[in-house]
Amino acid sequence: FRPIKEPTSAPSITPVPSARPSPVPTSSPSDACSSSSEYRYKMILTDSGGDGWGGATFQISTDSTLRFSGTLATGSYAVEYFCLEDGEHTVVVSGGSSTTIDEACFEFDDIAGDSFRGCGAIEDAFHTSSGEIYGAPSPAPTISSVPTPLPSPSPSPAPSPLPSPL
């Protein structure tokens, strides 16, 4: 290619990409999680009053160990990214004043586009697996007494455990 002195209407051709990255921000982060056993999640922070969370903060914990924390210091919108391994986690939003805490909201998104949301003071458990978010598993079932095979000696207002014969 030879430079020309006069501009032309023909577009210029760049034979190779530039060495520097583009100054325009991208729509998602380009850095990866530091471990292959972690997946990236997005947390959108919003404030309906438009003045930040007023001292309220979020905390994300795993096995009672604080992993991430932050706040929406000013404005009405911010995005945070986190890397979490598969397992059970807890998100807590607390602090701030009683008049502004209800304005503090979040949305936690996974790589599949699923999410859960919360507003105000909240503590919520969730489970992550292979980059996706699920509700926390319910507690293990408990054993209850087995119903008796014979009818009760007297009528009861509760339904019987077995169908009645016709």
Side-chain angles (χ1 to χ4, degrees), residues 128-141:
T128 56
S129 179
S130 300
E132 296 192 39
I133 299 171
Y134 301 95
S138 59

Side-chain angles (χ1 to χ4, degrees), residues 44-79:
I44 300 171
L45 312 175
T46 60
D47 180 79
S48 61
D51 56 356
W53 280 8
T57 60
F58 72 86
Q59 296 180 330
I60 298 172
S61 301
T62 306
D63 296 326
S64 300
T65 301
L66 179 63
R67 302 286 304 281
F68 306 101
S69 64
T71 189
L72 178 59
T74 61
S76 60
Y77 181 87
V79 177

Side-chain angles (χ1 to χ4, degrees), residues 95-110:
S97 73
S98 60
T99 58
T100 61
I101 187 68
D102 291 336
E103 296 175 358
C105 297
F106 72 91
E107 177 181 310
F108 208 98
D109 299 334
D110 67 14

Side-chain angles (χ1 to χ4, degrees), residues 144-154 156 158-164:
S144 60
S145 60
V146 178
T148 60
L150 300 174
S152 307
S154 61
S156 75
S160 63
L162 299 174
S164 302

Side-chain angles (χ1 to χ4, degrees), residues 17-41:
S18 63
R20 295 182 6 230
S22 165
V24 178
T26 58
S27 60
S28 61
S30 56
D31 56 326
C33 294
S34 61
S35 169
S36 62
S37 64
E38 293 181 328
Y39 296 90
R40 181 171 300 284
Y41 298 90

